[in-house]
Amino acid sequence: MFILVNLKAYPCDPIEVATAARDVAEESGVRIAVSPQAADISRVADTGVETWAQHVDPNDYGSHTGSTLAEAVAEAGAVGTLINHSEKRMKLADIDGSVQAAERAGLETCVCANNPAQIGAVSALGPDSVAVEPPELIGGDVSVATADPGIVTDAVDSAANVDEDVDVYCGAGISTGDDVVTAEELGASGILLASGVAKADDPRAALEDLVSGL
């Protein structure tokens, strides 16, 4: 299982979370990555934790003021990127362009989607992984794996029907080790979470709980 911690724009200490994630990953053998704000990518990567961007735009070098260039986040130390998070939605053509931009820069990609049907559509774009995240459960206390396990199994099936090489992650409401185990049992190969770690009083303890059942 892969654990990807999205720090969003929360007022947390990205270095504290990154250091905790690095240490728990080393001690447990579980792959853990942190996705900070773009301005924090370099210093988070310097901790040695696997670092992801929260977004890259579909453009190349050029006159694109305000864009997040895939090459720029790669040079800052990111090795992967989220695309089309529910809080940063994109048109399908732009998702495709961002996936291509990320691949051009050597970044691993995870495209987010709201439901199994969308998972099938974005899987056709050739990302490395997809994450199913019903918006109504994001940031809540109930995980999608518990609230509606059928969404996870259907998402796994939808992706496999298009491209069996695309991994499926489970997001929205994931916060405990039990949630991670449930997601794995439903066929997910990773989880995407934010507030469960970024808002935790003790990020290390939260991460230790997440890997406890693996």
Side-chain angles (χ1 to χ4, degrees):
M1 288 290 280
F2 175 41
I3 297 176
L4 178 52
V5 182
N6 177 15
L7 301 186
K8 300 190 176 184
Y10 288 138
C12 60
D13 180 349
I15 303 307
E16 178 187 10
V17 176
T19 301
R22 178 201 64 199
D23 293 347
V24 173
E26 291 176 352
E27 293 165 7
S28 65
V30 176
R31 182 187 174 197
I32 303 175
V34 175
S35 182
Q37 284 281 296
D40 295 322
I41 288 174
S42 181
R43 63 195 190 107
V44 165
D46 284 345
T47 68
V49 74
E50 182 176 334
T51 305
W52 282 49
Q54 295 181 6
H55 168 80
V56 296
D57 283 298
N59 54 271
D60 201 339
Y61 289 99
S63 302
H64 304 290
T65 301
S67 66
T68 301
L69 185 67
E71 284 82 359
V73 300
E75 289 170 8
V79 298
T81 185
L82 295 172
I83 295 170
N84 194 50
H85 190 275
S86 65
E87 296 158 359
K88 189 71 173 177
R89 299 298 301 276
M90 306 171 71
K91 295 179 180 179
L92 191 62
D94 288 335
I95 297 172
D96 189 19
S98 288
V99 169
Q100 293 181 39
E103 291 176 347
R104 184 183 69 227
L107 296 169
E108 189 173 336
T109 52
C110 176
V111 178
C112 301
N114 291 349
N115 55 56
Q118 290 183 15
I119 286 291
V122 297
S123 293
L125 302 178
D128 296 295
S129 60
V130 292
V132 60
E133 289 195 303
E136 65 273 14
L137 297 177
I138 292 176
D141 297 324
V142 180
S143 78
V144 61
T146 300
D148 194 345
I151 290 180
V152 181
T153 54
D154 288 349
V156 171
D157 290 342
S158 291
N161 288 337
V162 175
D163 186 343
E164 292 184 348
D165 292 330
V166 175
D167 290 326
V168 178
Y169 303 154
C170 175
I174 301 290
S175 62
T176 69
D178 288 342
D179 292 336
V180 177
V181 170
T182 300
E184 184 177 35
E185 291 173 346
L186 293 171
S189 53
I191 62 160
L192 175 61
L193 80 160
S195 58
V197 173
K199 288 186 173 182
D201 292 332
D202 186 341
R204 181 186 175 94
L207 287 160
E208 288 175 338
D209 179 54
L210 286 168
V211 303
S212 62
L214 300 177

